[in-house]
Amino acid sequence: QKEVEQDPGPLSVPEGAIVSLNCTYSNSAFQYFMWYRQYSRKGPELLMYTYSSGNKEDGRFTAQVDKSSKYISLFIRDSQPSDSATYLCAGGDFNKFYFGSGTKLNVKP
Amino acid sequence: IAGITQAPTSQILAAGRRMTLRCTQDMRHNAMYWYRQDLGLGLRLIHYSNTAGTTGKGEVPDGYSVSRANTDDFPLTLASAVPSQTSVYFCASSVASGGLTDTQYFGPGTRLTVL
């Protein structure tokens, strides 16, 4: 079992839709969680990070962690075609991070 | 230079050949990492270095070696390339290892094909 599991998609939504991207993780010791966005043929770029459980909001993006169910979510409001990319979740403890395989998102104009 | 640079951008390599992928950062980050990214498997850590002079093994270290002679450079060497090492390789760095200071910044990647 992978440390972090993520549905690969692809997920296709119309412009303006609310997008929900999800991951599960297996190690209850994980304290730190991140979301990266990766455009085609580019390196991943950090979108958001959170510590422990709770929500964090940054503009149209909200990251949510539920440690009781080992569930990580990223919500995108008012999605834009420029949001089309692969989204990678990651979780870890003090020493190491583990990445999900990524969910490909396509926002149609 | 701004951020992380990787070289080459892409490479086609014959099996059995030796290859070094280069990675340089100018952010004075202490920690550096090498990942490979394969379809369906996501990013997998190959080797890491918490600080200059130290290295450690990640999830998939076999067939790869690294060195960290200084803060800025973290080359990855394939001693004798095999087709299963065909992948996209990403170098990353972070201020330090551990916790939120482990926020990693990635380079643009090297696409390696081993025939």
Side-chain angles (χ1 to χ4, degrees):
Chain A
Q1 182 186 8
K2 281 174 63 71
E3 297 278 358
V4 178
E5 298 276 3
Q6 188 173 7
D7 187 331
L11 181 62
S12 189
V13 301
E15 183 175 355
I18 296 175
V19 176
S20 173
L21 302 170
N22 306 294
C23 293
T24 58
Y25 64 96
S26 58
N27 191 333
S28 58
F30 285 1
Q31 294 282 350
Y32 305 96
F33 305 92
M34 297 176 184
W35 282 96
Y36 283 82
R37 178 174 59 196
Q38 186 176 21
Y39 292 112
S40 181
R41 304 183 83 86
K42 299 287 186 183
E45 55 179 337
L46 181 67
L47 203 56
M48 297 184 73
Y49 63 81
T50 54
Y51 171 71
S52 195
S53 282
N55 293 357
K56 184 172 183 178
E57 189 173 322
D58 184 1
R60 297 185 294 111
F61 298 88
T62 299
Q64 190 173 80
V65 176
D66 182 349
K67 292 196 72 183
S68 63
S69 59
K70 299 193 186 72
Y71 207 75
I72 314 164
S73 300
L74 179 71
F75 300 97
I76 306 174
R77 292 184 299 280
D78 187 24
S79 57
Q80 303 295 309
S82 58
D83 295 329
S84 298
T86 296
Y87 290 81
L88 304 165
C89 61
D93 57 17
F94 189 80
N95 290 312
K96 285 183 182 172
F97 278 88
Y98 298 88
F99 286 82
S101 55
T103 299
K104 188 169 185 178
L105 172 67
N106 181 34
V107 181
K108 299 173 293 186
Chain B
I1 298 177
I4 298 178
T5 57
Q6 292 185 238
T9 302
S10 64
Q11 182 75 44
I12 298 174
L13 189 67
R17 296 297 295 269
R18 180 184 179 89
M19 175 74 192
T20 296
L21 308 184
R22 300 185 298 278
C23 174
T24 299
Q25 54 103 358
D26 65 353
M27 298 176 284
R28 307 304 293 173
H29 284 176
N30 287 309
M32 297 187 74
Y33 314 84
W34 274 105
Y35 292 89
R36 58 178 291 174
Q37 188 174 38
D38 302 288
L39 196 65
L41 297 176
L43 284 165
R44 292 182 292 169
L45 183 66
I46 304 171
H47 284 288
Y48 65 94
S49 169
N50 289 334
T51 188
T54 68
T55 62
K57 294 181 179 180
E59 186 181 353
V60 288
D62 294 342
Y64 306 94
S65 63
V66 292
S67 61
R68 187 86 185 278
N70 57 60
T71 298
D72 299 344
D73 301 299
F74 191 43
L76 175 74
T77 298
L78 289 67
S80 178
V82 295
S84 62
Q85 292 178 310
T86 294
S87 187
V88 181
Y89 290 85
F90 288 101
C91 180
S93 71
S94 61
V95 172
S97 64
L100 291 177
T101 56
D102 197 19
T103 302
Q104 295 177 26
Y105 299 89
F106 285 80
T110 293
R111 291 181 172 272
L112 181 66
T113 301
V114 182
L115 301 176

